[in-house]
Amino acid sequence: MGTTSPEEGDLEMPDRQIEEKQLVQPVNDENLAGNLTTLGNSFIAFVGAGILDLPYAFSKVGLGLGTVVIIGVAIICLHCMYLLVDCKLFLERQGKKIVGYGDVGFHAYGSIGAKIVDVSLVVTQFGFCTAYLILISNSLYTVLEGSPGVVPFIWLCVPGELMLSTLRHLKYLGKFSIIADITMAFAITTVVYYCRKEIGSHTPQQAQRMEANIPMVPYFFGASIYCFEGIGMVIPIQNAMRNKHQFKLVWGLNMVLVTMLFWGVGWLGYKAYGVSIRESVAGNLPPFDRLTAMVQIAISTGLYFTFPVMMFPVYQILESTFFPSVDAATGSTQTMALRFSVVFLSAIVATLVPSFSDFIVLVGSSTCALLAFIFPALFSLKIRGLRPIAVAREGTIIVLGVVAAILGTRDALKRIAG
Protein backbone atom coordinates (compact mmCIF):
# COMPACT_ATOMS: atom_id res chain seq x y z
CA MET A 1 0.00 0.00 0.00
CA GLY A 2 1.24 3.51 -0.76
CA THR A 3 1.29 6.71 1.21
CA THR A 4 -1.82 8.49 2.40
CA SER A 5 -2.19 12.14 1.65
CA PRO A 6 -3.15 14.40 4.57
CA GLU A 7 -6.41 15.35 2.92
CA GLU A 8 -7.41 11.70 2.71
CA GLY A 9 -6.07 10.58 6.07
CA ASP A 10 -7.81 13.36 7.98
CA LEU A 11 -11.14 11.87 7.01
CA GLU A 12 -10.91 8.73 9.13
CA MET A 13 -10.45 8.34 12.87
CA PRO A 14 -11.12 5.44 15.19
CA ASP A 15 -13.30 7.09 17.81
CA ARG A 16 -16.96 7.02 16.76
CA GLN A 17 -17.69 10.06 18.95
CA ILE A 18 -15.08 12.40 17.50
CA GLU A 19 -15.22 11.44 13.84
CA GLU A 20 -18.20 13.56 12.91
CA LYS A 21 -16.92 16.57 14.83
CA GLN A 22 -13.33 16.63 13.61
CA LEU A 23 -13.11 14.69 10.39
CA VAL A 24 -16.04 15.31 8.10
CA GLN A 25 -15.18 17.83 5.45
CA PRO A 26 -17.70 20.63 4.82
CA VAL A 27 -20.17 19.90 2.07
CA ASN A 28 -18.71 22.36 -0.38
CA ASP A 29 -17.80 21.53 -3.95
CA GLU A 30 -14.64 23.58 -3.62
CA ASN A 31 -13.40 21.17 -0.94
CA LEU A 32 -14.24 18.03 -2.92
CA ALA A 33 -12.06 16.24 -5.47
CA GLY A 34 -12.92 15.84 -9.13
CA ASN A 35 -12.69 12.53 -10.97
CA LEU A 36 -9.09 13.01 -12.11
CA THR A 37 -7.88 14.05 -8.67
CA THR A 38 -9.70 11.11 -7.12
CA LEU A 39 -8.07 8.77 -9.63
CA GLY A 40 -4.65 10.16 -8.78
CA ASN A 41 -5.19 9.93 -5.02
CA SER A 42 -6.50 6.39 -5.37
CA PHE A 43 -3.56 5.29 -7.48
CA ILE A 44 -0.98 6.73 -5.06
CA ALA A 45 -2.73 5.05 -2.13
CA PHE A 46 -1.92 1.61 -3.59
CA VAL A 47 1.61 1.97 -4.94
CA GLY A 48 4.10 1.21 -2.18
CA ALA A 49 6.96 -1.01 -1.11
CA GLY A 50 5.08 -4.25 -1.76
CA ILE A 51 5.45 -3.84 -5.51
CA LEU A 52 9.20 -4.46 -5.21
CA ASP A 53 8.52 -7.94 -3.81
CA LEU A 54 6.18 -9.08 -6.60
CA PRO A 55 8.92 -10.39 -8.95
CA TYR A 56 10.16 -12.61 -6.11
CA ALA A 57 6.58 -13.75 -5.44
CA PHE A 58 6.18 -14.61 -9.15
CA SER A 59 9.32 -16.75 -8.88
CA LYS A 60 7.54 -18.90 -6.31
CA VAL A 61 4.41 -19.77 -8.32
CA GLY A 62 5.40 -19.26 -11.96
CA LEU A 63 4.43 -16.57 -14.42
CA GLY A 64 1.21 -18.18 -15.63
CA LEU A 65 -0.29 -19.10 -12.27
CA GLY A 66 0.94 -15.86 -10.75
CA THR A 67 -0.91 -13.90 -13.44
CA VAL A 68 -4.15 -15.78 -12.73
CA VAL A 69 -3.86 -15.31 -8.95
CA ILE A 70 -3.01 -11.61 -9.01
CA ILE A 71 -5.92 -10.87 -11.37
CA GLY A 72 -8.24 -12.96 -9.19
CA VAL A 73 -7.14 -11.15 -6.03
CA ALA A 74 -7.66 -7.79 -7.76
CA ILE A 75 -11.20 -8.72 -8.86
CA ILE A 76 -12.24 -9.95 -5.41
CA CYS A 77 -10.65 -6.94 -3.70
CA LEU A 78 -12.53 -4.59 -6.04
CA HIS A 79 -15.81 -6.42 -5.41
CA CYS A 80 -15.31 -6.18 -1.64
CA MET A 81 -14.47 -2.47 -1.88
CA TYR A 82 -17.72 -1.99 -3.78
CA LEU A 83 -19.53 -3.94 -1.04
CA LEU A 84 -18.16 -1.55 1.56
CA VAL A 85 -19.36 1.47 -0.42
CA ASP A 86 -22.77 -0.15 -0.94
CA CYS A 87 -23.04 -0.68 2.83
CA LYS A 88 -22.13 2.97 3.39
CA LEU A 89 -24.80 4.18 0.95
CA PHE A 90 -27.39 1.80 2.43
CA LEU A 91 -26.72 3.13 5.94
CA GLU A 92 -26.74 6.76 4.79
CA ARG A 93 -30.18 6.26 3.32
CA GLN A 94 -31.22 5.32 6.84
CA GLY A 95 -29.83 8.57 8.21
CA LYS A 96 -26.53 7.16 9.51
CA LYS A 97 -23.29 9.12 9.30
CA ILE A 98 -20.48 7.03 7.83
CA VAL A 99 -16.97 8.47 7.64
CA GLY A 100 -14.81 5.36 7.92
CA TYR A 101 -14.53 1.59 7.71
CA GLY A 102 -15.04 1.23 11.46
CA ASP A 103 -18.46 2.90 11.23
CA VAL A 104 -19.66 0.17 8.88
CA GLY A 105 -18.39 -2.44 11.32
CA PHE A 106 -20.18 -0.63 14.15
CA HIS A 107 -23.55 -0.64 12.38
CA ALA A 108 -23.07 -4.29 11.41
CA TYR A 109 -21.99 -5.79 14.74
CA GLY A 110 -22.02 -2.94 17.25
CA SER A 111 -18.97 -1.92 19.23
CA ILE A 112 -17.38 -5.34 18.65
CA GLY A 113 -17.57 -4.80 14.88
CA ALA A 114 -15.93 -1.40 15.22
CA LYS A 115 -13.20 -2.72 17.50
CA ILE A 116 -12.23 -5.67 15.28
CA VAL A 117 -11.86 -3.27 12.36
CA ASP A 118 -9.77 -0.89 14.46
CA VAL A 119 -7.54 -3.69 15.78
CA SER A 120 -7.05 -5.06 12.26
CA LEU A 121 -6.19 -1.60 10.96
CA VAL A 122 -3.68 -1.09 13.79
CA VAL A 123 -1.96 -4.43 13.16
CA THR A 124 -1.95 -3.90 9.39
CA GLN A 125 -0.56 -0.37 9.51
CA PHE A 126 1.99 -1.43 12.13
CA GLY A 127 2.96 -4.32 9.84
CA PHE A 128 3.39 -1.98 6.88
CA CYS A 129 5.70 0.28 8.89
CA THR A 130 7.74 -2.62 10.22
CA ALA A 131 8.19 -3.90 6.68
CA TYR A 132 9.45 -0.44 5.73
CA LEU A 133 12.18 -0.64 8.38
CA ILE A 134 13.23 -4.06 7.08
CA LEU A 135 13.46 -2.83 3.48
CA ILE A 136 15.22 0.41 4.47
CA SER A 137 17.88 -1.54 6.34
CA ASN A 138 18.36 -3.97 3.44
CA SER A 139 18.62 -1.12 0.94
CA LEU A 140 21.18 0.85 2.95
CA TYR A 141 23.19 -2.31 3.61
CA THR A 142 23.42 -2.80 -0.15
CA VAL A 143 24.77 0.71 -0.67
CA LEU A 144 27.25 0.95 2.19
CA GLU A 145 30.06 -1.56 1.71
CA GLY A 146 31.68 -3.00 4.79
CA SER A 147 28.73 -2.20 7.09
CA PRO A 148 28.32 -4.58 10.06
CA GLY A 149 24.90 -5.83 8.97
CA VAL A 150 21.29 -4.77 8.42
CA VAL A 151 20.21 -4.48 12.07
CA PRO A 152 22.17 -1.27 12.87
CA PHE A 153 20.36 0.50 10.03
CA ILE A 154 17.00 -0.39 11.58
CA TRP A 155 17.96 1.33 14.83
CA LEU A 156 19.49 4.30 13.03
CA CYS A 157 15.97 5.03 11.77
CA VAL A 158 14.49 5.14 15.27
CA PRO A 159 15.58 8.61 16.51
CA GLY A 160 14.14 10.40 13.49
CA GLU A 161 10.93 8.39 13.58
CA LEU A 162 10.56 9.24 17.27
CA MET A 163 10.81 12.94 16.41
CA LEU A 164 8.27 12.60 13.58
CA SER A 165 5.90 10.76 15.91
CA THR A 166 5.58 13.92 18.03
CA LEU A 167 3.67 15.64 15.20
CA ARG A 168 0.03 15.50 16.23
CA HIS A 169 -1.60 16.74 13.03
CA LEU A 170 -1.37 14.87 9.75
CA LYS A 171 -1.20 18.11 7.78
CA TYR A 172 2.31 18.69 9.14
CA LEU A 173 3.38 15.45 7.46
CA GLY A 174 2.11 16.58 4.06
CA LYS A 175 5.54 17.61 2.74
CA PHE A 176 7.05 14.32 3.87
CA SER A 177 4.29 12.45 2.06
CA ILE A 178 5.09 14.30 -1.18
CA ILE A 179 8.80 13.50 -0.79
CA ALA A 180 7.92 9.84 -0.27
CA ASP A 181 5.75 9.74 -3.40
CA ILE A 182 8.42 11.35 -5.57
CA THR A 183 11.28 9.15 -4.36
CA MET A 184 9.26 5.93 -4.68
CA ALA A 185 8.14 6.92 -8.19
CA PHE A 186 11.78 7.47 -9.17
CA ALA A 187 12.81 4.14 -7.64
CA ILE A 188 10.08 2.09 -9.34
CA THR A 189 10.65 3.80 -12.70
CA THR A 190 14.39 3.10 -12.52
CA VAL A 191 13.81 -0.53 -11.53
CA VAL A 192 11.54 -0.98 -14.57
CA TYR A 193 14.24 0.58 -16.76
CA TYR A 194 16.87 -1.86 -15.50
CA CYS A 195 14.51 -4.82 -15.86
CA ARG A 196 13.80 -4.03 -19.50
CA LYS A 197 17.51 -3.54 -20.11
CA GLU A 198 18.30 -6.90 -18.54
CA ILE A 199 15.68 -8.96 -20.39
CA GLY A 200 17.79 -9.15 -23.54
CA SER A 201 20.86 -10.53 -21.76
CA HIS A 202 19.77 -13.75 -20.05
CA THR A 203 22.09 -16.57 -19.10
CA PRO A 204 20.84 -20.18 -18.87
CA GLN A 205 20.68 -20.13 -15.06
CA GLN A 206 18.33 -17.16 -15.23
CA ALA A 207 15.51 -19.17 -16.78
CA GLN A 208 12.02 -18.49 -15.49
CA ARG A 209 9.65 -20.90 -13.83
CA MET A 210 6.79 -21.34 -16.27
CA GLU A 211 5.07 -24.35 -14.67
CA ALA A 212 2.52 -23.78 -11.94
CA ASN A 213 3.81 -24.28 -8.41
CA ILE A 214 0.46 -24.74 -6.66
CA PRO A 215 1.78 -25.26 -3.09
CA MET A 216 3.16 -21.70 -3.19
CA VAL A 217 -0.20 -20.10 -4.05
CA PRO A 218 -0.89 -19.10 -0.39
CA TYR A 219 2.50 -17.37 -0.32
CA PHE A 220 1.71 -15.47 -3.51
CA PHE A 221 -1.77 -14.66 -2.19
CA GLY A 222 -0.26 -12.99 0.87
CA ALA A 223 2.14 -10.90 -1.19
CA SER A 224 -0.61 -9.88 -3.63
CA ILE A 225 -3.22 -8.90 -1.07
CA TYR A 226 -0.56 -6.91 0.81
CA CYS A 227 -0.17 -4.80 -2.34
CA PHE A 228 -3.93 -4.43 -2.90
CA GLU A 229 -4.88 -3.65 0.69
CA GLY A 230 -6.26 -0.16 0.22
CA ILE A 231 -9.78 -0.80 1.46
CA GLY A 232 -9.31 1.46 4.46
CA MET A 233 -9.14 4.41 2.06
CA VAL A 234 -12.29 3.57 0.09
CA ILE A 235 -14.84 5.44 2.23
CA PRO A 236 -12.62 8.48 2.95
CA ILE A 237 -11.84 8.91 -0.76
CA GLN A 238 -15.50 8.41 -1.72
CA ASN A 239 -16.51 11.00 0.88
CA ALA A 240 -13.98 13.45 -0.56
CA MET A 241 -15.25 13.01 -4.13
CA ARG A 242 -17.43 15.59 -5.85
CA ASN A 243 -19.16 13.20 -8.27
CA LYS A 244 -19.93 10.42 -5.82
CA HIS A 245 -22.24 8.66 -8.26
CA GLN A 246 -19.20 8.05 -10.50
CA PHE A 247 -17.02 6.64 -7.72
CA LYS A 248 -17.26 3.01 -8.79
CA LEU A 249 -16.27 3.90 -12.34
CA VAL A 250 -13.23 5.89 -11.18
CA TRP A 251 -12.20 3.35 -8.55
CA GLY A 252 -12.62 0.49 -11.01
CA LEU A 253 -10.39 2.26 -13.53
CA ASN A 254 -7.85 2.81 -10.76
CA MET A 255 -7.85 -0.90 -9.91
CA VAL A 256 -7.28 -1.80 -13.56
CA LEU A 257 -4.30 0.56 -13.76
CA VAL A 258 -2.88 -0.63 -10.43
CA THR A 259 -3.27 -4.29 -11.41
CA MET A 260 -1.51 -3.66 -14.72
CA LEU A 261 1.35 -1.94 -12.88
CA PHE A 262 1.68 -4.71 -10.28
CA TRP A 263 1.55 -7.45 -12.87
CA GLY A 264 3.91 -5.55 -15.19
CA VAL A 265 6.58 -4.98 -12.53
CA GLY A 266 6.23 -8.54 -11.25
CA TRP A 267 6.46 -10.00 -14.73
CA LEU A 268 9.31 -7.74 -15.87
CA GLY A 269 11.36 -8.29 -12.74
CA TYR A 270 11.08 -12.05 -12.85
CA LYS A 271 11.54 -12.16 -16.62
CA ALA A 272 14.71 -10.10 -16.25
CA TYR A 273 16.38 -11.91 -13.35
CA GLY A 274 14.73 -15.34 -13.32
CA VAL A 275 15.66 -17.72 -10.54
CA SER A 276 18.27 -15.27 -9.23
CA ILE A 277 15.59 -12.73 -8.25
CA ARG A 278 15.93 -11.33 -4.73
CA GLU A 279 13.24 -10.49 -2.19
CA SER A 280 13.27 -6.89 -3.38
CA VAL A 281 13.94 -6.61 -7.10
CA ALA A 282 16.02 -3.51 -6.34
CA GLY A 283 18.59 -5.91 -4.89
CA ASN A 284 19.21 -7.27 -8.39
CA LEU A 285 20.30 -3.94 -9.84
CA PRO A 286 23.97 -3.68 -10.92
CA PRO A 287 26.25 -3.47 -7.85
CA PHE A 288 28.64 -0.57 -7.35
CA ASP A 289 26.60 1.50 -9.80
CA ARG A 290 25.81 5.14 -9.08
CA LEU A 291 22.24 4.91 -10.33
CA THR A 292 21.69 1.74 -8.29
CA ALA A 293 22.86 3.57 -5.18
CA MET A 294 20.47 6.41 -5.97
CA VAL A 295 17.59 3.92 -6.27
CA GLN A 296 18.40 2.29 -2.92
CA ILE A 297 18.67 5.68 -1.25
CA ALA A 298 15.41 6.81 -2.89
CA ILE A 299 13.63 3.69 -1.59
CA SER A 300 15.02 4.27 1.89
CA THR A 301 14.06 7.95 1.85
CA GLY A 302 10.57 7.30 0.55
CA LEU A 303 9.82 4.59 3.10
CA TYR A 304 11.41 6.58 5.92
CA PHE A 305 8.98 9.45 5.37
CA THR A 306 6.08 7.12 4.67
CA PHE A 307 6.55 5.50 8.09
CA PRO A 308 5.07 8.37 10.18
CA VAL A 309 2.19 8.87 7.75
CA MET A 310 1.19 5.19 7.81
CA MET A 311 1.70 4.98 11.59
CA PHE A 312 -0.53 8.02 12.21
CA PRO A 313 -3.84 6.09 12.41
CA VAL A 314 -2.16 3.60 14.75
CA TYR A 315 -1.37 6.41 17.17
CA GLN A 316 -4.90 7.79 16.89
CA ILE A 317 -6.65 4.48 17.51
CA LEU A 318 -4.44 3.52 20.44
CA GLU A 319 -4.67 6.94 22.07
CA SER A 320 -8.46 7.09 21.76
CA THR A 321 -8.64 3.59 23.25
CA PHE A 322 -6.25 3.93 26.19
CA PHE A 323 -6.43 7.69 26.86
CA PRO A 324 -9.90 8.82 25.71
CA SER A 325 -9.94 11.85 28.02
CA VAL A 326 -6.70 13.33 26.65
CA ASP A 327 -7.09 16.16 24.14
CA ALA A 328 -6.14 14.68 20.75
CA ALA A 329 -4.81 18.04 19.54
CA THR A 330 -2.29 18.54 22.36
CA GLY A 331 -1.61 15.08 23.72
CA SER A 332 0.13 14.32 27.01
CA THR A 333 3.21 12.65 28.43
CA GLN A 334 1.29 9.38 28.42
CA THR A 335 0.31 9.58 24.75
CA MET A 336 3.87 10.56 23.80
CA ALA A 337 5.22 7.56 25.69
CA LEU A 338 2.70 5.40 23.85
CA ARG A 339 3.88 6.68 20.47
CA PHE A 340 7.53 6.15 21.36
CA SER A 341 6.73 2.62 22.52
CA VAL A 342 5.06 1.81 19.18
CA VAL A 343 8.12 3.01 17.24
CA PHE A 344 10.46 0.98 19.44
CA LEU A 345 8.24 -2.10 19.14
CA SER A 346 8.27 -1.78 15.35
CA ALA A 347 12.09 -1.67 15.37
CA ILE A 348 12.24 -4.72 17.65
CA VAL A 349 9.95 -6.73 15.37
CA ALA A 350 11.96 -5.67 12.31
CA THR A 351 15.13 -6.84 14.07
CA LEU A 352 13.60 -10.23 14.85
CA VAL A 353 12.11 -10.74 11.36
CA PRO A 354 14.77 -9.69 8.84
CA SER A 355 13.05 -11.19 5.78
CA PHE A 356 11.10 -8.50 3.93
CA SER A 357 9.21 -10.93 1.72
CA ASP A 358 8.19 -13.34 4.49
CA PHE A 359 7.01 -10.49 6.68
CA ILE A 360 4.77 -8.86 4.08
CA VAL A 361 3.29 -12.27 3.27
CA LEU A 362 2.50 -12.67 6.98
CA VAL A 363 0.82 -9.25 7.13
CA GLY A 364 -1.00 -9.81 3.84
CA SER A 365 -2.28 -13.27 4.73
CA SER A 366 -3.52 -12.27 8.18
CA THR A 367 -4.97 -8.82 8.79
CA CYS A 368 -4.99 -7.69 5.15
CA ALA A 369 -7.11 -10.73 4.25
CA LEU A 370 -9.53 -9.85 7.06
CA LEU A 371 -9.89 -6.25 5.96
CA ALA A 372 -9.95 -6.82 2.20
CA PHE A 373 -11.93 -10.08 1.88
CA ILE A 374 -13.65 -11.33 5.01
CA PHE A 375 -15.00 -8.26 6.82
CA PRO A 376 -16.64 -6.56 3.79
CA ALA A 377 -18.49 -9.77 2.90
CA LEU A 378 -19.62 -10.33 6.51
CA PHE A 379 -20.71 -6.71 6.97
CA SER A 380 -22.62 -6.69 3.69
CA LEU A 381 -24.58 -9.83 4.57
CA LYS A 382 -25.44 -8.39 7.98
CA ILE A 383 -26.38 -4.88 6.82
CA ARG A 384 -27.97 -5.48 3.41
CA GLY A 385 -29.70 -8.78 4.12
CA LEU A 386 -29.30 -12.47 3.30
CA ARG A 387 -30.29 -12.50 -0.36
CA PRO A 388 -29.67 -15.96 -1.94
CA ILE A 389 -27.24 -14.70 -4.57
CA ALA A 390 -25.40 -12.54 -2.04
CA VAL A 391 -25.15 -15.41 0.44
CA ALA A 392 -23.62 -17.69 -2.21
CA ARG A 393 -21.24 -15.04 -3.55
CA GLU A 394 -20.14 -13.44 -0.29
CA GLY A 395 -20.11 -16.82 1.44
CA THR A 396 -17.66 -18.09 -1.17
CA ILE A 397 -15.44 -15.03 -0.63
CA ILE A 398 -15.47 -15.56 3.14
CA VAL A 399 -14.52 -19.23 2.83
CA LEU A 400 -11.83 -18.45 0.27
CA GLY A 401 -10.47 -15.64 2.44
CA VAL A 402 -10.38 -17.79 5.59
CA VAL A 403 -8.68 -20.74 3.87
CA ALA A 404 -6.12 -18.54 2.10
CA ALA A 405 -5.47 -16.57 5.30
CA ILE A 406 -4.85 -19.70 7.36
CA LEU A 407 -2.60 -21.34 4.77
CA GLY A 408 -0.69 -18.14 3.99
CA THR A 409 -0.21 -17.18 7.64
CA ARG A 410 0.97 -20.68 8.53
CA ASP A 411 3.41 -20.75 5.63
CA ALA A 412 4.82 -17.30 6.48
CA LEU A 413 5.24 -18.20 10.17
CA LYS A 414 7.08 -21.40 9.24
CA ARG A 415 9.47 -19.45 7.03
CA ILE A 416 10.08 -16.79 9.66
CA ALA A 417 10.62 -19.39 12.38
CA GLY A 418 12.94 -21.40 10.14
Side-chain angles (χ1 to χ4, degrees):
M1 183 174 176
T3 59
T4 305
S5 70
E7 291 76 10
E8 297 162 11
D10 284 343
L11 292 173
E12 183 169 4
M13 287 274 283
D15 194 330
R16 310 274 84 79
Q17 296 179 346
I18 64 175
E19 281 177 349
E20 186 171 336
K21 178 180 177 181
Q22 295 183 354
L23 307 172
V24 179
Q25 297 291 331
V27 182
N28 184 331
D29 282 352
E30 294 180 358
N31 295 327
L32 300 178
N35 290 2
L36 190 59
T37 301
T38 300
L39 181 63
N41 290 338
S42 305
F43 187 81
I44 291 172
F46 279 96
V47 181
I51 192 174
L52 299 174
D53 176 70
L54 284 176
Y56 182 76
F58 267 98
S59 74
K60 298 295 185 182
V61 296
L63 291 174
L65 183 57
T67 299
V68 173
V69 173
I70 199 170
I71 292 175
V73 169
I75 291 173
I76 296 176
C77 282
L78 178 61
H79 173 72
C80 290
M81 291 169 183
Y82 284 169
L83 287 180
L84 198 62
V85 173
D86 288 339
C87 288
K88 170 186 180 291
L89 297 176
F90 182 88
L91 291 168
E92 286 181 338
R93 286 194 292 268
Q94 297 179 349
K96 310 294 184 182
K97 192 70 176 180
I98 307 297
V99 298
Y101 196 164
D103 292 325
V104 177
F106 177 80
H107 289 292
Y109 293 100
S111 59
I112 294 178
K115 287 300 180 185
I116 61 172
V117 171
D118 288 344
V119 170
S120 298
L121 286 172
V122 165
V123 176
T124 300
Q125 297 295 109
F126 180 86
F128 288 156
C129 294
T130 303
Y132 296 162
L133 292 181
I134 297 172
L135 187 52
I136 288 172
S137 63
N138 290 336
S139 298
L140 293 179
Y141 178 73
T142 302
V143 174
L144 300 176
E145 301 176 52
S147 52
V150 298
V151 173
F153 293 113
I154 294 175
W155 290 97
L156 282 174
C157 295
V158 170
E161 297 299 355
L162 291 175
M163 293 178 61
L164 291 171
S165 73
T166 63
L167 300 176
R168 304 201 60 84
H169 297 279
L170 197 54
K171 63 182 180 181
Y172 297 136
L173 294 171
K175 293 180 180 179
F176 299 120
S177 180
I178 294 173
I179 293 172
D181 290 336
I182 293 173
T183 53
M184 286 303 297
F186 165 75
I188 293 171
T189 301
T190 307
V191 165
V192 170
Y193 162 76
Y194 271 117
C195 289
R196 295 190 61 179
K197 185 178 179 181
E198 182 70 18
I199 284 177
S201 59
H202 284 142
T203 56
Q205 59 266 34
Q206 289 177 313
Q208 295 82 41
R209 179 195 296 274
M210 298 303 297
E211 72 278 9
N213 188 11
I214 296 178
M216 292 305 298
V217 168
Y219 185 93
F220 190 86
F221 167 82
S224 298
I225 203 167
Y226 176 95
C227 295
F228 281 111
E229 204 298 289
I231 196 166
M233 293 308 304
V234 171
I235 290 178
I237 289 179
Q238 196 264 356
N239 280 334
M241 188 176 180
R242 182 181 302 120
N243 304 314
K244 290 181 174 57
H245 63 286
Q246 296 181 338
F247 172 78
K248 286 189 176 181
L249 176 63
V250 175
W251 194 266
L253 175 59
N254 170 65
M255 285 293 288
V256 171
L257 296 175
V258 167
T259 303
M260 291 174 61
L261 176 65
F262 288 169
W263 176 83
V265 172
W267 186 88
L268 276 174
Y270 184 38
K271 194 75 174 175
Y273 300 106
V275 294
S276 64
I277 192 71
R278 298 186 182 179
E279 289 188 350
S280 169
V281 66
N284 287 95
L285 302 187
F288 315 116
D289 180 84
R290 184 174 299 176
L291 186 55
T292 297
M294 291 176 62
V295 170
Q296 301 289 6
I297 292 172
I299 291 171
S300 301
T301 303
L303 297 181
Y304 186 84
F305 288 122
T306 302
F307 184 100
V309 178
M310 298 297 284
M311 197 66 89
F312 200 83
V314 175
Y315 301 146
Q316 292 177 323
I317 292 173
L318 293 178
E319 288 176 2
S320 66
T321 300
F322 294 108
F323 308 108
S325 61
V326 175
D327 186 356
T330 59
S332 67
T333 303
Q334 293 171 311
T335 59
M336 195 57 61
L338 176 64
R339 292 184 176 214
F340 283 8
S341 299
V342 171
V343 174
F344 276 115
L345 181 60
S346 180
I348 292 171
V349 174
T351 301
L352 297 175
V353 188
S355 172
F356 173 67
S357 182
D358 291 343
F359 189 78
I360 71 169
V361 169
L362 175 62
V363 175
S365 299
S366 54
T367 52
C368 288
L370 289 173
L371 290 168
F373 275 35
I374 300 171
F375 289 167
L378 283 173
F379 294 167
S380 180
L381 290 175
K382 179 68 173 180
I383 291 172
R384 301 170 65 210
L386 300 175
R387 296 162 297 159
I389 296 179
V391 170
R393 184 181 59 217
E394 271 64 89
T396 301
I397 292 175
I398 293 170
V399 172
L400 178 63
V402 170
V403 171
I406 292 173
L407 294 178
T409 301
R410 185 183 65 177
D411 181 73
L413 288 174
K414 283 183 178 180
R415 292 175 178 276
I416 291 171

